[in-house]
Structure formats: C-alpha cells, structure tokens
Amino acid sequence: MIGDGERGLLYRDRRLRGVLVPGIHRYFDPFRRIEVEVYPVNARRYTGPDAGTLLASLGGEAYRHFLVADIGEAEVGLLSRDGRLEEVLPPGSRQLYWRGEADLQVHTLPLERVPRVPPDIRLRLRQLGLLPRVAVTLDVPSGWAGLVTIDGQMAPVLASGSHAFWNFQSNILAETVDLRVQSLEVDRQALLTLDKVSIHMNLTASLRVHDPAKARQIAQVDVFVRHLLQHALRSIAASRSLDELVQDRSALDEQIQARLCPALHGFGIEILGISVRNILLPDPLAENLNRQAEANNLAAGPPALSPTETDALQAMLGIAQMIGSSTRPLSPLPAARPPHSMAGPD
C-alpha cells in the first residue's frame, strides 16, 4: 500500500523493477522474492544508495517519476520549487528529486572567471540562510573599497554595497580598504640636530588611499606612513642646526611632504597635508633661553614711544605741574553743631 505523498521502488530478486504510485498493489510472491522501499515525496530529494543505478535500471521511465539535475563541471545549479529558489547544486553534481504536486525546476549558471552571484539570487540565498555556505560575501561600507583575489589574481575593485562570489573551484579572498581621509599623529618624536641638540617634535599628517589595489601591498597603512614620517623627521633634523629649525619651522612641512610623496605614490597613498605643531627643547636649554631673553629685554631699556604717545605724555606732565602750582592749604572746617532734639520737654 502506497499512500498519498509516497512512492515505492519495487525490487524482485534484489533488482529494481519499477516505481509504485499511490494505491494498493498485489503481487503473488510465495517465495518472498519481492521487496518494496517506500519514500516520502515531500522529502523531494531521492536519498537512495545509487542514483546512477536507478537511472540505468528504469531507463526512460525514471524521468516520469524523477527530476534529474545533472550539473556540469563549470556550472552552478539552482533548484526552484513553484518558482522560488530553494537549493544550490555545486558543479559536477547529480541529484534526483521526486516529482509530486510541486513544480520543480533546475536552472544552471556558468561559472565565469569572476564567479559573481547575481543580486536577486544573492538576496534569496541570504533569506534562506544558505549564502555563507555557498559563497564568499563582502559588504563594503560607504567611503570604502572592496578587493577580491581569485586564485591569486586581483579582480576589479568593488564599490560600496553588498557583493557575493560562488565559493566553488576557486580560492577567493575578500577584504575592504578605507578610502576616507585619515589623520595621523606623531607625538614627541626624539630628534638630534646638526649641532648635537636633542629635541622633540610633534607632527600631524592627513592622508588618504587613492589606489586601493596598490595600497593592498601594505599590511597597515597608518603604521607604514608613521615610520616614513619618523624617518623623514630624523633625516631633516640631522641636516640642520637648532636655529635653522626654529627660524624656518614653516618650511619643514613642505620639506617633509616633498620627501614622502614620491615614496607613497607607488603604494597608492596621497599625503594631503603635514603640519609641525611645535618643537620641544630640553628643560635646561629652555631655561637658559628664557633667561637670555629676559636679559636682552632689560639691556634694551624701556620700549621706544611713538610720536603720538610722546606728545600725549608731555601734555599729561604739563597738566600735572599746573595743578601742583595752583594748590594751597585748605583752612579747617568749623566744628559741626549738634543737631536740635526733636523731643519735647520732660
């Protein structure tokens, strides 16, 4: 007895003889040579031991009861049920699916050199939770770029968005690169000037990656650029005296940028600006310079006045002299009389 939603495989002498549809089937079998294996059609995929033997034994009748999905070596199979994608079949696979009330269909897609998953299929597989199992996914935020390497070969740079690549037959690596402007700080970099003075310098640089494919050669962009900045600072400081560095500090920015730009261009990195914030001197040297500045100010005397300030000062002195010559001692004031009492007689 084969119920609705079931199919049976009839074996005689352990050899497949046919497929039994729902209903009652009677066989005369006094020697128990007949066996029947019942399969639920709702499970859809045939789970028997050997699909190839089944097809060879049934011949053309097999296609009446089974959907045969035979996927080529350079193809990906897509199984849909009633028009909705349900399963992905890898290249070179063969699967049998029981035919029932549902409309089953298999479509194939060629595996191209860049095996990109179409957007509509990627969305459906994500809904089914199958996408991470059959594809390498990469979500690229805004302001970033995506890099994909397929068997060691670089694929075109990916813009922001969601991307997926079939994870069959190829070794696929995916990563993202930040294209936004970045700020880099170099704090208290110890330097030695040409006249053997030990100083510290603080520097700020702004940069961005303009070619993510070239920047991929660098493991950490910020660490790499910081090392180049430190090397440029040491080289420039060692070729100048302390006075030259302090007096021409504004030119340091251009000199450092001129040294770094050619080196970073080959790695797809652009320096947008460099700013030397301050130069820190050793404490004894800073105290000596302050004392020398104070001594110079005392030796120079009071600051010179402008003609306008001189005229105003002379006018104020003349007024002060006039007031001093016209003043005389004032006579004492009479003693104050006590106020009359407002109270009446006792």
Side-chain angles (χ1 to χ4, degrees), residues 15-321:
R15 300 184 62 185
L16 182 62
R17 298 301 185 183
V19 178
L20 303 182
V21 298
I24 299 176
H25 306 267
R26 295 180 174 87
Y27 297 93
F28 181 71
D29 184 25
F31 300 105
R32 299 185 179 276
R33 299 164 57 190
I34 294 178
E35 296 179 1
V36 176
E37 294 183 0
V38 180
Y39 293 89
V41 177
N42 293 334
R44 293 189 297 278
R45 179 183 293 187
Y46 170 67
T47 57
D50 191 352
T53 301
L54 186 146
L55 292 176
S57 300
L58 296 179
E61 184 183 1
Y63 295 91
R64 293 177 46 237
H65 302 283
F66 293 95
L67 171 66
V68 180
D70 200 351
I71 311 303
E73 293 293 338
E75 295 177 332
V76 176
L78 302 176
L79 174 68
S80 61
R81 178 184 176 90
D82 293 332
R84 302 187 65 180
L85 178 63
E86 284 203 352
E87 189 176 346
V88 177
L89 305 177
S93 62
R94 170 182 285 182
Q95 296 291 342
L96 301 183
Y97 296 88
W98 291 101
R99 293 187 183 273
E101 296 180 358
D103 180 20
L104 297 179
Q105 292 184 359
V106 173
H107 302 278
T108 58
L109 295 176
L111 278 178
E112 301 177 354
R113 189 186 69 84
V114 180
R116 189 187 299 270
V117 180
D120 55 337
I121 297 176
R122 181 189 69 237
L123 178 61
R124 177 58 179 166
L125 292 178
R126 191 185 297 274
Q127 294 172 346
L128 295 174
L130 299 176
L131 187 61
R133 294 166 49 186
V134 298
V136 174
T137 61
L138 182 65
D139 293 325
V140 183
S142 178
W144 293 60
L147 298 180
V148 175
T149 303
I150 303 174
D151 292 333
Q153 299 294 323
M154 182 72 68
V157 178
L158 303 176
S160 59
S162 182
H163 308 272
F165 301 86
W166 296 116
N167 194 17
F168 301 121
Q169 299 179 345
S170 299
N171 183 23
I172 300 178
L173 300 176
E175 60 182 318
T176 56
V177 178
D178 192 354
L179 302 182
R180 299 172 298 177
V181 176
Q182 304 179 39
S183 179
L184 192 62
E185 302 284 341
V186 179
D187 293 330
R188 298 190 62 85
Q189 178 64 34
L191 306 172
L192 188 65
T193 64
L194 182 62
D195 46 358
K196 307 304 180 183
V197 178
S198 178
I199 63 174
H200 289 81
M201 188 177 297
N202 295 337
L203 180 145
T204 301
S206 58
L207 57 104
R208 71 179 183 91
V209 175
H210 67 85
D211 191 337
K214 293 181 179 180
R216 187 177 178 273
Q217 307 172 62
I218 306 173
Q220 293 178 301
V221 172
D222 56 343
V223 175
F224 179 73
V225 176
R226 181 178 284 106
H227 287 168
L228 291 182
L229 285 171
Q230 293 170 345
H231 182 270
L233 282 174
R234 287 194 296 267
S235 177
I236 293 176
S239 63
R240 289 168 175 78
S241 65
L242 178 60
D243 291 340
E244 292 174 341
L245 290 175
V246 174
Q247 294 175 3
D248 199 18
R249 194 178 71 175
S250 60
L252 286 177
D253 304 344
E254 299 178 359
Q255 295 170 2
I256 297 172
Q257 188 165 352
R259 284 176 177 262
L260 259 66
C261 284
L264 292 176
H265 182 74
F267 294 99
I269 302 173
E270 178 183 4
I271 295 293
L272 302 178
I274 293 178
S275 175
V276 176
R277 293 184 298 174
N278 47 35
I279 299 176
L280 306 177
L281 304 178
D283 292 339
L285 180 58
E287 294 176 359
N288 292 335
L289 290 178
N290 290 334
R291 285 197 296 266
Q292 183 178 356
E294 293 176 359
N296 292 338
N297 291 335
L298 293 176
L305 299 177
S306 65
T308 303
E309 292 174 336
T310 303
D311 295 341
L313 182 59
Q314 291 178 352
M316 292 176 64
L317 291 175
I319 294 173
Q321 292 176 358

